[in-house]
Structure formats: structure tokens, C-alpha cells
Amino acid sequence: MHQIFLKDVYRAVNGLLKTALGVPPGSTTTLTTAQDQTFRIESVKCLATIIKSMGSWMDQQLRIGEFSPKVSEASLSSVSSMSSIDIPNILIGEDGSAIDYELQSDSGSPDVSGAPSLEQRRAFKIELQKGISLFNRKPSKGIDFLIKSKKIGHSPEDVASFLRNTAGLNATMIGDYLGERDEFPIKVMHAYVDALNLEGMDFGEAIRYYLRGFRLPGEAQKIDRIMEKFAERYCKCNPDSFTSADTAYVLAYSVIMLNTDAHNNMVKDKMSKIDFIRNNRGIDDGKDLPEAYLGTLYDQIVKNEIKMSADSSVPQNKQTSTVMKLLGLDNIMSFVNWKQVEDRADGANDLLIKNIQEKFKLKSVKSESVFSVITDTTILRFMMEVCWAPMMAAFSVTLDQSDDKAATLQCLQGFRSAVHVTSVMCMQTQRDAFVTSVAKFTYLHCAADMKQKNVDAVKAIISIAIEDGDYLQEAWEHILTCLSRFEHLHLLGEGAPTDASFLTVPLVDSEEKTQKSASTLSKRTNALQNPAVMAAVRGGSYDSTTAKNKASPLVTPEQINNFISNINLLDQIGIFELNHIFAHSPRLNSDAIVAFVKALCKVSMTELQSPTDPRIFCLTKIVEIAHYNMNRIRLVWSRIWKVLSDFFVSVGLSENLSVAIFVMDSLRQLAMKFLEREELANYNFQNEFLQPFAVVMQKSSASEVRELVVRCVSQMVLSRVNNIKSGWKSVFTVFTAAAADDRKSIVLLAFETMEKIVRDYFPYITETESTTFTDCVKCLITFTSSKFSSDASLNAIAFLRFCAVKLAEEGFICHDKDADQHPNNLDSSDGNITVHKDDHVYFWVPLLAGLARLTTDSRPTIRKGAVEVLFDILKDHGHLFSQSFWANIFESVIYPLFSSESFAPNGQISSVNSTEDDSWNFETKMVALKCLADLYITFFEVMRPELSRVTSVITNFIRSPYKQSASTCISVFQRLTEGLACKLSNDEWEKILLCFKESAAQTFVVFDKIVKMMKDIEIPDRNESYSEAEQYSDHDVYNDDEEEANMETASYAIVRMKNHMALQLLIVQGIVKLYEMHRSFLCAEHIGIMLQMLSAISSHASEVNSESKLHIKLHKACSLLEVSEPAVIHFESESYQSYLKLLQAILHDNPSLSADMNVNVESQIMLVCDKILRMYLTCAGHEPSNDASGRDPALHRLPLGTAKKEELEARTSLVLNVMRLLGSLEKNCFRRNLPMFFPLLANLIRCQHSSGEVQVALYEIFQSSIGPIISA
């Protein structure tokens, strides 16, 4: 039966089509021309009436027009139409006065027990009842009455407690009051929600708990405010639940939609779990929530409907299902991207067909004159599917071929009705076909051929946009294209300059040049003589974006006259009607406004990309649309802004500078308006809104655009700083990009604003997420790299110090959370502490790490300033840090400062041609090293476990190839021991001394490298180098280069040798000084380590002196280079003298110490003296012999040469010290050791000396010490 019915419809419409098309060419007919024309017009009229009646019946069934969906976001109003939550009285006429409440003396009512008498208590209850009754009719007036009568307090918390605990209040009125936009109700709503403890609740349970005390209001803006606050509260109580409050906000809407879908009888096609999961993809900051989590939430809602606790006592309104139908459940579902209406209609096809067939079967026994009444509008889909093509053919052919006004009006009316039906029924293909046909018939693309019927088509396009805007979707592009072309022709007719003329000059001048010409025909004709008008006269195809400039090189006067005449026809349509479409865009539902904005952006891009005639009509309308719709709820506005953001970025990066500047200034105006709205915590929408500024700033190649972006953002920050929350991220991103800009004016402008922010608005930065402060620090660090102003760079570092002071003033203390319960709450896998979000470590770490990175800057002032500020911050505010945070600071901030030494850890020598970068790097490290020692001394008790590593860092610099670094290292080590001497335990003393010993021992390898370096180097004699200089030829160039390289290597070796010996002597002096200053804190093990170090250095000095081949080469090189030779003898003498001095001091200060040491001090002294005397005799040519005969094989010796005499002179002071020491020994000690020294003393008598002091010292020993022994 269904197929037969559709076939009849098709036959009827097809017959009317044939009649409307007239007699086919070549056919015979008995009709006259007039009759044929009449038939054709009546056929078109009949078709138009059919499609119009379809639309009227559809409107009647869907009740379109009775409940206007144009009210502020009415598509969401049925959110409150959950089966368990009544439709608010704003929609169904409930006044709330029908219920009479009886006062209860329960805990929920205000306390009246203090009333002195029963009458006063009765009067109190009566007045309270009056206030409650008034609240149930007009909530705001009721609250005002209760506050004025002092029945409740005047604070938002008191009112919130009253709404939450008082019996008898209408739940609908509570929800309506909480959703009000006035300042006080908003504060009450915040207090109401903040009083709820949602901690530990899962999301579904939290929503149930939240909605048990009131009903959601019907106005979308009120629902948005209530759900926005709920999301913020839930994330605050459960900080680890979602990435941001935006996720909770969207999911809350989804849950409410699911509750409506699952438990409302009018929804036939229920949502599946897969649909629910798919519809919530990407809501967690672009990521998906776990499917198991969403599945569990789905099961909770489907199995257990969300109900208000008082629902059982409130009668359900009979109009619920009707109002739900009228409000349009489909709009609710599409609000959060549920299944599209068209899909649900297709799913209902089979059920509808079966229903129709059953009705026909039941009535088949009746007469054929009885008709079945169908109320489901889905039947229209089938009717339109079979008749839309014939109708469009009839309307199109008639409209194209006929100029009869009645016929064309009927065709246009048919088109309008067809668009209405196909749009509402979501028949996308058919809708677009009808809209495209009407758009083409406007002839706006070829105005020279325009007629009155084409003007009527423009009117039809405007009517379609106004009446069916909620359903047009993609068809908006065709309509907006027509409006753009209409506006272009309108401006040409007015004689105004084209947009292209504005886009080639600064925008400031363009407004002054825009003047309307006189309305006389002559002036208009003159105004039309320009290339844009010529292109419009030539015209083009509907699909062409620009007019065909090459189709006809010349334009005839007749064409111009026709064009002028046709433009006069367009005067029938005022510009007001065109602007009406944009001004009333807030009336579009959520899906429609998104589709409208998408189409508008697409048409605008087409306008701007025109190579010959770029225009900004749609661009200006985009700004207007954004302004008009900014008050939409966040969920809808987010969808709109996603489209607009991409568009603003694309246009902001346009090659046309004027367009880019225009769009960025427009974006600034929108942002200023948007920032008037306060953003709650944990949301990210401000950042998303301001993101286009950051993207354009980073990617734009036009300095004018970048400067404008900085100025725009600066103005927004300084004027809206109170309301900026998540927007700080984009603000600092813009200023960070500006800091690295290659234009000085941009850098200084941005830094001026940053200075104002940090100095005056610092609390606004730290009150938001910790990442905001991190972005601020990164921005300041980027300013330190400015190549234009050193003052700005240093000021940026100073502001980093200022940030630390502010953090300390605001009480940002880094403490250990739950240290007793969770001792292992640190995760060092990434070098940072992993703690709770609220821990203030997240504010200090980026500040300190950023300063640490600045210590490697290429500019000395920046490096020095960064090091000083870094350690000053740590020293001034270190008392705020916990031990775990200190450990993290040392690991991730301080130790990395010293990790990149330019010398290898094993003492390898860097190349001869080392860069100067190592030098200035070490200068910075030396400053840091001194600061490290001072810092560690200050906070030693907290950071005692780091002693070994801090000592290692300091002593490692002993191996530095730079003399100054090693000297500073030893000085810092002495400062460290001096500051900690009384605090160190024996084990700790042993640790630092062993560390010192290990680092000192590694320096010996340097000498081995010098020997290896000079092994194959040949140094020419002075005579060879200069006596034959005149005989050099070109053949000797290679030899010259080789000798030059050898001399360069020798020169480097000389310097390294001198530095090496100087370093060893510094270590020796440091050891002696260490003992002298801290002898009271040192035990036998500590002194033993120090003696081992001195013994090793003395032995090493002897080894250095024994390399005769090396010394010969260095002697030659020094002669040729005319530099002083390395003082090897002095090095050896000083080493032994210091060693001997320490041994004497130990023996004198604590004679009993030898018993506690592994080595006897007395015997150690004797061995050192023996070695010193033997070295002296060897130098004097009387090397001691073990020959028992006593014969001297060198009885007749030659006199010493000059070099030997100089060496003896250098060793004289050391030998004198030895002899004085021997002479001062106690008698028994001298007697015990005399057999060892007597042969050596005897040899000293007969050898040659450079000074007579040696003989005098010998005489005194024999007289005062040896003589008494012999005589005894």
C-alpha cells in the first residue's frame, strides 16, 4: 500500500510537471497559446501549493512556530526535561504557588529556638512562611524579603545554606535562582556548590548528589553557569580526575543528555554504549577518556535514572512530553554531537512503513473513501524523495523561460517551501539542490542580464536565510555567497570605492577616503568607470569566484546602461534586510550557528583570495557574528571559536598586510569583550581564545603585524588583568616570541609590558596554574638573550630575583607532603620531583632551572648575573625548602653547572689550540664554585648527605688546565673546610680528605703526557737555527714548517710544565695550611692521608727532576724562545721542605701520635732527611757509596760547572734545614740515627758547596751533637 501511495504521488506530480513544461516541440495540440500558458501557470501554482501544504502540515505536526527556538539557546532548554526533573515554569507556566508548605521544626529550618515566647516564634514562622511562599513565586524578591526581615543572613554563604537546608522551597525556583546572572545570585550559587564535598565521588555519583536539591532551569545560560561551577568544584575536590575542568564540563552535559535519552519515553531510538563512548572522544584536552570509565558511567545512568530527592512528592506536569516534542529533542542530542536527526529518521523508516501497512490492513474492509490519518512527519521524506526532482524541474524551467510575474512568484514560492521541507526533514542533497537553483536564478554573478524575477530570487534567498536558518547547514555557503555579491553590487551602485582600494593603503586612511557619491545618474555613471565595475558588467558563471576579465576586452555603452538599470532594481532590497540575517544570528540553534560560521569563513576566504578584487565584507561580518554570539554557553561557543580561531590565524598570516592588520585588530576587540567574562579555575578557554595571537606572533613574517599583536596583547593585559586566568599562557607565549624578535621596537615594547606584569600584577600569575609561572619565567629568560638591549637582559635577570622574593612573600614553601606515610614520594627518573599539584615546588624549579641555563650564556655579564642571582635566591630563601627539594635542586640545578668540564676526567690534556670559550666558561664556574661553598656551609645541616658530592665537584677543578681555576679550587676547598670544621665527624673528614687526595693524584698524569708529547720533538741548537738562516731556500719550507710546529708544541709544553709544578706546590701549601688551621679536629687517620699526599707529591717532584732528556729539550726551547725555564729544582726542594715541615710539626704537636698511625713519624723524618742529603751529594758530584773500603773512586774531581753550582745553591736552604733538624734532635734519638747519617755528613765535609753556611752547619753538628757522643 505504501508503494502504491507513493506511486500515485509521483504520477500526480509528474503529470503536473508535463503540463507546466507545455507542449513538447513538434507535437500538435488543440490548445491556443493563451490556454497553454494558463495551463502551465496553473500547473506551477498547483505544484507550489502541494509543496506549501506539505510544509504547513509538517509545521503543524512539529509545532514549529508555537515554541520559538529563537530564544537564547532554546535548543538546550529541554536539558531540564529529564523524566525525573520537571520542565521549569518559564516553559510550562508553572507559578510555584499551588503548593502550601507546612513549617517543620527540623534541622533544615532556621533556628528559632531563641524566641522568648510562643507568640514570637509563631510570628517568626509566619513571616518565614511568607518569605518562602514569595520565593516560590519570585525567587529574587523572596531572598530580598528574607534578608531584610533578618530571617537569613546577608552573606552568600547564609543564603546558600538556606536554599540547601530549608524545607518547603520549590526545587524549580531554587535552580532558577542559582542560575541567575546577577552578581549576588552568582555568589550564592558559588557558595552553594563550594559547600558540597565531592571528594572521592565518581563522576556519576557526584552529579546525582549535585542535582538532588534543585531542578536545572530551562534557560541555557543558567544551565551553563550551574554546570560550569559544578565542573570546577568536582576538579578541585578530585584534582587527579581530569586534565582540566573543561573535560568535566563537557562530560556533565553528556551525562545529562544520556539521562534524557535513556529515560524519556518519547525517545524511540535509544543511544548505545558505543555511541556514548564515540560521542565523548577527544574531550580530555584532545585525548580520549578510558573506554572502561565511560562504559561504567553509561551503565550507571542507564540502570539508575538521575532523580531529584523530592521528585516523588511533586506531580508530573502533563505537558512534559508535549513540551519536549515542541522544544525538539533532536536539538539536545546534536548539542553535544549525538547522532544526527537524519540518521534517526532513516532508522524509523521500517517502523513507520509497518505502522502504515497495519493501518491499511485494518481499514481494508471499509470503503475506499475512508482515509488514514498519518501524524508522523517522516512520511514527508518518502513523498519528497519521489517528487522533488519533477518539482525542481518545473520551477526551474518556468522561472528561466517565463517573465510572467505571477508564474515566477509561484515558482519562487515553490522553491521556498521546498527548501523549508527538505531542510527540516534533513534531506541534505535535495535541500542543497533547491538552494543552489534559487541562488543561480539571482543572476548576481552577471548583473548586466538581471531582471525583476532575479531580484525576487534575491528576496527569496534572504527569506530562506531568515526563516530556515536553523536547518540550512552546508547550504549556508550558497546563501552567503549571494549576500556577498549583492553587497558588492550595492557598493558599486553607491559609487563607493572598492575594498581593493582600501587594501593597498593603511587602514587609517581608508576610512577617510570612503565617501558616497552623489545619487544623480551622471555622478553614478562616472563612478562606474573603474576596473571593478567593468568586471562586474562582463559578469561570469555562478561558480566563478571572480568575474571574467578576459571574456570581452571592451564593454559597450549599452552594457553599462543595462548594468546601471539593473543596479537600480536592486534598490528594492535595502541593506537593512541583508544585515538582519547577521544581527539575528544569536537566534540560530547550536548546530546552525556553527554551520553558519563555517560557511561565512569559507566565503570570506574566497573574497580575500581574489587576485583582482579582494574584499572584506564577510570578514567584517565574522567579527560582528562573533560579537553577537559571544554570550552563548561555553560548549557552543567553543565549537564556534574552533572555526573562527583557524580562520583568524589564516587571515592574520595573509600576505596582504592591510588585511592581516585589520583582522588582528578585530580579534583584539573580540578578546577585550570576551575577557570581560570571568573564568573559573582549571578551565582553559581563555587560552584557546587568545591562541590566534600566539600563532600569528610566531609565524608571521610581517614585522608590522607582530608589533600590532604585541600592542594588542599588552592593552588586553593591562586593562583586563583581573579576569585573566588560563589566558596567561598565550600572553607569555606572545611575549616570549617577541623577546626573540629581530626588531628592537618589538622587543622593548614587550619587555615594558612584562616589567609591568611582574612588578604590579605578580599575584595574578601565581593564583592560577603553576605552569603559568613557568611560562613567565621562560619569557623572562628569553628576554635575557636580547641582542638589542643589555639593560633589558640584566633587568630580566633582576626580575627573576624579584619573582623569587614575591614567591617567598606569598608563602610558597616547598615542604614534604605526608613524609611519614609516604617516604618514597620522589621520582627522579626525569631529574625532577614528582609531587602533588598543589606543592609549591612547581613554582621554584622552573625559576632556578632557568637561571642555571643562563649561566652558559655567551655574554659575560649575563653569565655572572645569572650565577649571582641563582645562588642569592638559594641562599636567601633556602630556609623555605625541604630536604627533598634541596636534593632535587642539587641534582637538577646545581650539579649540572659543573658537569661540562673542558678537560677529561683522567687528566687528559686538551689540544694545543684550545678555544677561548673554555676559558670564559671556567671563569663563570669559578664564581659558581665560590657560591656553592658558601651555600653549602649555610645549609649544611639540611644537606649533610651531599658532602661527598659537593667536595668532589670542588676538588675536580684541581685538574683544570687553567692555573687560576686550580688555585680557586684549592681556595674554595679551604673555605669549605674552614666553615665546616667544627661540624664534621671523623668519617666526614676522612671522606673529604680522600676526595682531595684522589683528585690531586690524578694531576700526576699531566707530566706523563708532557713527556710523551716531547718524546719525538727535536729542538734545534741555537747555532743551527740562526747561522744558516741566509742559506734557506724554497726546498726548506717543509723543514721550516715542521720546526715551527715543534717549537709551538715545546712552547705549550713549557707552559703546561710550569702550571703543573705551580699546581703541585699549591696543593702542598693547602695541605700544610689545612693541618695548621684544623689540627685540633684531625685524628691519626686524617693526618696519615695528608702525609701520603705530601709523600706522593715529593716523589713525583723527584721523578720530574730525573727526566734529563726532557729538561735538555726544554732548556733549548727556552733559549730559543727567550723565556725562563721551568723551576724544576725549586719545585722539588719546596715539596720536600713542606713535607719535612709537616712531619716536624706533627712530631712536635703530638709526639704520641705515632702510636696511632701506621707509619712512625720519627723514622719518616729520618728517611726524608736521608733522601735530601743524598740528592745534595749527588748534585755535588759525591754520590754516596756503599764501598766498605772507604776509598773514594773520584778522589780527583773536576770543579763543578755553572749549572751544577746553581743547582747546589737552589738546594742549599733545604740541606741547611735538614742539618738544623738533626742538630735539634733529642740525644737518644740522634744516637739511634747517627749510623745512618754519619757517612753522609762526612761526604758533605769534602764536597764543594755554593755557600759557606753548609760548612758552618756541619761544624755545629760535629761539635754539639757528634763530639759528646765520641768523648763519652
Side-chain angles (χ1 to χ4, degrees), residues 138-161:
K138 295 183 178 181
S140 296
K141 291 186 177 180
I143 293 296
D144 292 340
F145 172 81
L146 291 169
I147 292 176
K148 291 178 181 178
S149 61
K150 299 184 178 180
K151 297 300 176 292
I152 58 176
H154 63 278
S155 68
E157 290 75 14
D158 293 334
V159 177
S161 177

PDB file of all heavy atoms in Angstrom, residues 138-161:
ATOM      1  N   LYS A 138       8.669  34.266  43.125  1.00  0.00           N
ATOM      2  CA  LYS A 138       9.728  35.113  42.558  1.00  0.00           C
ATOM      3  C   LYS A 138      10.947  34.994  43.462  1.00  0.00           C
ATOM      4  O   LYS A 138      11.030  35.653  44.505  1.00  0.00           O
ATOM      5  CB  LYS A 138       9.270  36.566  42.445  1.00  0.00           C
ATOM      6  CG  LYS A 138       8.114  36.750  41.463  1.00  0.00           C
ATOM      7  CD  LYS A 138       7.739  38.214  41.312  1.00  0.00           C
ATOM      8  CE  LYS A 138       6.615  38.388  40.293  1.00  0.00           C
ATOM      9  NZ  LYS A 138       6.248  39.809  40.111  1.00  0.00           N
ATOM     10  N   PRO A 139      11.867  34.156  43.098  1.00  0.00           N
ATOM     11  CA  PRO A 139      12.989  33.824  43.991  1.00  0.00           C
ATOM     12  C   PRO A 139      13.770  35.042  44.471  1.00  0.00           C
ATOM     13  O   PRO A 139      14.086  35.152  45.654  1.00  0.00           O
ATOM     14  CB  PRO A 139      13.860  32.903  43.125  1.00  0.00           C
ATOM     15  CG  PRO A 139      12.924  32.328  42.124  1.00  0.00           C
ATOM     16  CD  PRO A 139      11.917  33.390  41.846  1.00  0.00           C
ATOM     17  N   SER A 140      14.130  35.950  43.565  1.00  0.00           N
ATOM     18  CA  SER A 140      14.964  37.094  43.966  1.00  0.00           C
ATOM     19  C   SER A 140      14.255  37.951  44.999  1.00  0.00           C
ATOM     20  O   SER A 140      14.857  38.385  45.995  1.00  0.00           O
ATOM     21  CB  SER A 140      15.332  37.930  42.742  1.00  0.00           C
ATOM     22  OG  SER A 140      16.132  37.176  41.847  1.00  0.00           O
ATOM     23  N   LYS A 141      12.958  38.204  44.778  1.00  0.00           N
ATOM     24  CA  LYS A 141      12.205  39.019  45.742  1.00  0.00           C
ATOM     25  C   LYS A 141      12.067  38.291  47.073  1.00  0.00           C
ATOM     26  O   LYS A 141      12.103  38.913  48.139  1.00  0.00           O
ATOM     27  CB  LYS A 141      10.834  39.358  45.170  1.00  0.00           C
ATOM     28  CG  LYS A 141      10.890  40.323  43.991  1.00  0.00           C
ATOM     29  CD  LYS A 141       9.490  40.744  43.551  1.00  0.00           C
ATOM     30  CE  LYS A 141       9.573  41.779  42.414  1.00  0.00           C
ATOM     31  NZ  LYS A 141       8.221  42.208  41.979  1.00  0.00           N
ATOM     32  N   GLY A 142      11.908  36.973  47.018  1.00  0.00           N
ATOM     33  CA  GLY A 142      11.818  36.211  48.253  1.00  0.00           C
ATOM     34  C   GLY A 142      13.081  36.294  49.073  1.00  0.00           C
ATOM     35  O   GLY A 142      13.032  36.469  50.298  1.00  0.00           O
ATOM     36  N   ILE A 143      14.227  36.181  48.413  1.00  0.00           N
ATOM     37  CA  ILE A 143      15.501  36.275  49.134  1.00  0.00           C
ATOM     38  C   ILE A 143      15.680  37.674  49.704  1.00  0.00           C
ATOM     39  O   ILE A 143      16.114  37.840  50.864  1.00  0.00           O
ATOM     40  CB  ILE A 143      16.667  35.911  48.193  1.00  0.00           C
ATOM     41  CG1 ILE A 143      16.598  34.428  47.794  1.00  0.00           C
ATOM     42  CG2 ILE A 143      18.003  36.222  48.849  1.00  0.00           C
ATOM     43  CD1 ILE A 143      16.760  33.472  48.940  1.00  0.00           C
ATOM     44  N   ASP A 144      15.365  38.704  48.912  1.00  0.00           N
ATOM     45  CA  ASP A 144      15.481  40.071  49.421  1.00  0.00           C
ATOM     46  C   ASP A 144      14.603  40.286  50.648  1.00  0.00           C
ATOM     47  O   ASP A 144      15.019  40.911  51.635  1.00  0.00           O
ATOM     48  CB  ASP A 144      15.098  41.070  48.323  1.00  0.00           C
ATOM     49  CG  ASP A 144      16.101  41.085  47.184  1.00  0.00           C
ATOM     50  OD1 ASP A 144      17.248  40.628  47.408  1.00  0.00           O
ATOM     51  OD2 ASP A 144      15.748  41.539  46.086  1.00  0.00           O
ATOM     52  N   PHE A 145      13.371  39.745  50.601  1.00  0.00           N
ATOM     53  CA  PHE A 145      12.458  39.888  51.735  1.00  0.00           C
ATOM     54  C   PHE A 145      13.021  39.211  52.990  1.00  0.00           C
ATOM     55  O   PHE A 145      12.986  39.760  54.093  1.00  0.00           O
ATOM     56  CB  PHE A 145      11.094  39.292  51.365  1.00  0.00           C
ATOM     57  CG  PHE A 145      10.138  39.211  52.533  1.00  0.00           C
ATOM     58  CD1 PHE A 145       9.411  40.327  52.935  1.00  0.00           C
ATOM     59  CD2 PHE A 145       9.963  38.017  53.226  1.00  0.00           C
ATOM     60  CE1 PHE A 145       8.539  40.249  54.008  1.00  0.00           C
ATOM     61  CE2 PHE A 145       9.098  37.942  54.296  1.00  0.00           C
ATOM     62  CZ  PHE A 145       8.377  39.062  54.699  1.00  0.00           C
ATOM     63  N   LEU A 146      13.527  38.003  52.835  1.00  0.00           N
ATOM     64  CA  LEU A 146      14.046  37.259  53.977  1.00  0.00           C
ATOM     65  C   LEU A 146      15.283  37.921  54.569  1.00  0.00           C
ATOM     66  O   LEU A 146      15.503  37.883  55.782  1.00  0.00           O
ATOM     67  CB  LEU A 146      14.375  35.828  53.545  1.00  0.00           C
ATOM     68  CG  LEU A 146      13.154  34.947  53.212  1.00  0.00           C
ATOM     69  CD1 LEU A 146      13.595  33.651  52.554  1.00  0.00           C
ATOM     70  CD2 LEU A 146      12.357  34.644  54.479  1.00  0.00           C
ATOM     71  N   ILE A 147      16.112  38.512  53.710  1.00  0.00           N
ATOM     72  CA  ILE A 147      17.301  39.202  54.222  1.00  0.00           C
ATOM     73  C   ILE A 147      16.908  40.473  54.965  1.00  0.00           C
ATOM     74  O   ILE A 147      17.419  40.752  56.072  1.00  0.00           O
ATOM     75  CB  ILE A 147      18.265  39.525  53.066  1.00  0.00           C
ATOM     76  CG1 ILE A 147      18.869  38.228  52.482  1.00  0.00           C
ATOM     77  CG2 ILE A 147      19.393  40.448  53.534  1.00  0.00           C
ATOM     78  CD1 ILE A 147      19.764  38.453  51.281  1.00  0.00           C
ATOM     79  N   LYS A 148      15.998  41.239  54.383  1.00  0.00           N
ATOM     80  CA  LYS A 148      15.578  42.484  55.030  1.00  0.00           C
ATOM     81  C   LYS A 148      14.856  42.222  56.350  1.00  0.00           C
ATOM     82  O   LYS A 148      14.978  42.998  57.304  1.00  0.00           O
ATOM     83  CB  LYS A 148      14.685  43.280  54.083  1.00  0.00           C
ATOM     84  CG  LYS A 148      15.422  43.856  52.879  1.00  0.00           C
ATOM     85  CD  LYS A 148      14.471  44.599  51.945  1.00  0.00           C
ATOM     86  CE  LYS A 148      15.239  45.156  50.736  1.00  0.00           C
ATOM     87  NZ  LYS A 148      14.341  45.849  49.786  1.00  0.00           N
ATOM     88  N   SER A 149      14.092  41.129  56.398  1.00  0.00           N
ATOM     89  CA  SER A 149      13.389  40.791  57.638  1.00  0.00           C
ATOM     90  C   SER A 149      14.275  40.018  58.600  1.00  0.00           C
ATOM     91  O   SER A 149      13.799  39.535  59.633  1.00  0.00           O
ATOM     92  CB  SER A 149      12.133  39.977  57.315  1.00  0.00           C
ATOM     93  OG  SER A 149      12.487  38.761  56.662  1.00  0.00           O
ATOM     94  N   LYS A 150      15.556  39.856  58.236  1.00  0.00           N
ATOM     95  CA  LYS A 150      16.567  39.216  59.083  1.00  0.00           C
ATOM     96  C   LYS A 150      16.226  37.775  59.423  1.00  0.00           C
ATOM     97  O   LYS A 150      16.556  37.275  60.496  1.00  0.00           O
ATOM     98  CB  LYS A 150      16.767  40.025  60.369  1.00  0.00           C
ATOM     99  CG  LYS A 150      17.262  41.449  60.121  1.00  0.00           C
ATOM    100  CD  LYS A 150      17.538  42.185  61.414  1.00  0.00           C
ATOM    101  CE  LYS A 150      18.068  43.592  61.136  1.00  0.00           C
ATOM    102  NZ  LYS A 150      18.340  44.350  62.391  1.00  0.00           N
ATOM    103  N   LYS A 151      15.554  37.112  58.497  1.00  0.00           N
ATOM    104  CA  LYS A 151      15.297  35.682  58.680  1.00  0.00           C
ATOM    105  C   LYS A 151      16.491  34.852  58.231  1.00  0.00           C
ATOM    106  O   LYS A 151      16.667  33.716  58.658  1.00  0.00           O
ATOM    107  CB  LYS A 151      14.034  35.266  57.896  1.00  0.00           C
ATOM    108  CG  LYS A 151      12.787  35.979  58.398  1.00  0.00           C
ATOM    109  CD  LYS A 151      12.519  35.666  59.852  1.00  0.00           C
ATOM    110  CE  LYS A 151      11.343  36.426  60.411  1.00  0.00           C
ATOM    111  NZ  LYS A 151      11.590  37.870  60.517  1.00  0.00           N
ATOM    112  N   ILE A 152      17.272  35.408  57.355  1.00  0.00           N
ATOM    113  CA  ILE A 152      18.519  34.765  56.945  1.00  0.00           C
ATOM    114  C   ILE A 152      19.609  35.831  56.895  1.00  0.00           C
ATOM    115  O   ILE A 152      19.310  37.036  56.844  1.00  0.00           O
ATOM    116  CB  ILE A 152      18.399  34.075  55.564  1.00  0.00           C
ATOM    117  CG1 ILE A 152      17.996  35.068  54.488  1.00  0.00           C
ATOM    118  CG2 ILE A 152      17.431  32.913  55.613  1.00  0.00           C
ATOM    119  CD1 ILE A 152      17.949  34.459  53.097  1.00  0.00           C
ATOM    120  N   GLY A 153      20.854  35.385  56.917  1.00  0.00           N
ATOM    121  CA  GLY A 153      21.960  36.324  56.859  1.00  0.00           C
ATOM    122  C   GLY A 153      22.093  36.963  55.486  1.00  0.00           C
ATOM    123  O   GLY A 153      21.492  36.509  54.502  1.00  0.00           O
ATOM    124  N   HIS A 154      22.905  37.981  55.403  1.00  0.00           N
ATOM    125  CA  HIS A 154      23.040  38.721  54.146  1.00  0.00           C
ATOM    126  C   HIS A 154      24.202  38.207  53.296  1.00  0.00           C
ATOM    127  O   HIS A 154      24.387  38.649  52.171  1.00  0.00           O
ATOM    128  CB  HIS A 154      23.259  40.207  54.429  1.00  0.00           C
ATOM    129  CG  HIS A 154      24.518  40.494  55.179  1.00  0.00           C
ATOM    130  ND1 HIS A 154      24.599  40.378  56.556  1.00  0.00           N
ATOM    131  CD2 HIS A 154      25.756  40.845  54.754  1.00  0.00           C
ATOM    132  CE1 HIS A 154      25.830  40.674  56.940  1.00  0.00           C
ATOM    133  NE2 HIS A 154      26.558  40.958  55.872  1.00  0.00           N
ATOM    134  N   SER A 155      24.989  37.282  53.839  1.00  0.00           N
ATOM    135  CA  SER A 155      26.131  36.791  53.064  1.00  0.00           C
ATOM    136  C   SER A 155      25.689  35.696  52.101  1.00  0.00           C
ATOM    137  O   SER A 155      24.689  35.014  52.337  1.00  0.00           O
ATOM    138  CB  SER A 155      27.205  36.227  54.007  1.00  0.00           C
ATOM    139  OG  SER A 155      26.748  35.045  54.629  1.00  0.00           O
ATOM    140  N   PRO A 156      26.427  35.506  50.990  1.00  0.00           N
ATOM    141  CA  PRO A 156      26.081  34.417  50.054  1.00  0.00           C
ATOM    142  C   PRO A 156      26.084  33.048  50.715  1.00  0.00           C
ATOM    143  O   PRO A 156      25.272  32.182  50.371  1.00  0.00           O
ATOM    144  CB  PRO A 156      27.170  34.531  48.979  1.00  0.00           C
ATOM    145  CG  PRO A 156      27.646  35.947  49.058  1.00  0.00           C
ATOM    146  CD  PRO A 156      27.538  36.331  50.483  1.00  0.00           C
ATOM    147  N   GLU A 157      26.970  32.849  51.696  1.00  0.00           N
ATOM    148  CA  GLU A 157      27.019  31.546  52.373  1.00  0.00           C
ATOM    149  C   GLU A 157      25.741  31.290  53.166  1.00  0.00           C
ATOM    150  O   GLU A 157      25.243  30.160  53.200  1.00  0.00           O
ATOM    151  CB  GLU A 157      28.244  31.492  53.292  1.00  0.00           C
ATOM    152  CG  GLU A 157      29.581  31.427  52.576  1.00  0.00           C
ATOM    153  CD  GLU A 157      29.999  32.754  51.981  1.00  0.00           C
ATOM    154  OE1 GLU A 157      29.382  33.780  52.349  1.00  0.00           O
ATOM    155  OE2 GLU A 157      30.935  32.776  51.143  1.00  0.00           O
ATOM    156  N   ASP A 158      25.213  32.348  53.804  1.00  0.00           N
ATOM    157  CA  ASP A 158      23.965  32.188  54.569  1.00  0.00           C
ATOM    158  C   ASP A 158      22.806  31.848  53.645  1.00  0.00           C
ATOM    159  O   ASP A 158      21.973  30.985  53.962  1.00  0.00           O
ATOM    160  CB  ASP A 158      23.665  33.473  55.345  1.00  0.00           C
ATOM    161  CG  ASP A 158      24.693  33.737  56.436  1.00  0.00           C
ATOM    162  OD1 ASP A 158      25.296  32.755  56.903  1.00  0.00           O
ATOM    163  OD2 ASP A 158      24.887  34.912  56.811  1.00  0.00           O
ATOM    164  N   VAL A 159      22.721  32.531  52.510  1.00  0.00           N
ATOM    165  CA  VAL A 159      21.638  32.265  51.567  1.00  0.00           C
ATOM    166  C   VAL A 159      21.770  30.856  50.992  1.00  0.00           C
ATOM    167  O   VAL A 159      20.776  30.129  50.842  1.00  0.00           O
ATOM    168  CB  VAL A 159      21.634  33.315  50.444  1.00  0.00           C
ATOM    169  CG1 VAL A 159      20.550  32.997  49.421  1.00  0.00           C
ATOM    170  CG2 VAL A 159      21.437  34.707  51.021  1.00  0.00           C
ATOM    171  N   ALA A 160      23.006  30.455  50.682  1.00  0.00           N
ATOM    172  CA  ALA A 160      23.213  29.112  50.153  1.00  0.00           C
ATOM    173  C   ALA A 160      22.799  28.052  51.161  1.00  0.00           C
ATOM    174  O   ALA A 160      22.177  27.029  50.818  1.00  0.00           O
ATOM    175  CB  ALA A 160      24.684  28.931  49.763  1.00  0.00           C
ATOM    176  N   SER A 161      23.111  28.273  52.432  1.00  0.00           N
ATOM    177  CA  SER A 161      22.701  27.328  53.483  1.00  0.00           C
ATOM    178  C   SER A 161      21.188  27.274  53.593  1.00  0.00           C
ATOM    179  O   SER A 161      20.594  26.190  53.778  1.00  0.00           O
ATOM    180  CB  SER A 161      23.328  27.744  54.813  1.00  0.00           C
ATOM    181  OG  SER A 161      22.910  26.897  55.858  1.00  0.00           O
TER     182      SER A 161
END
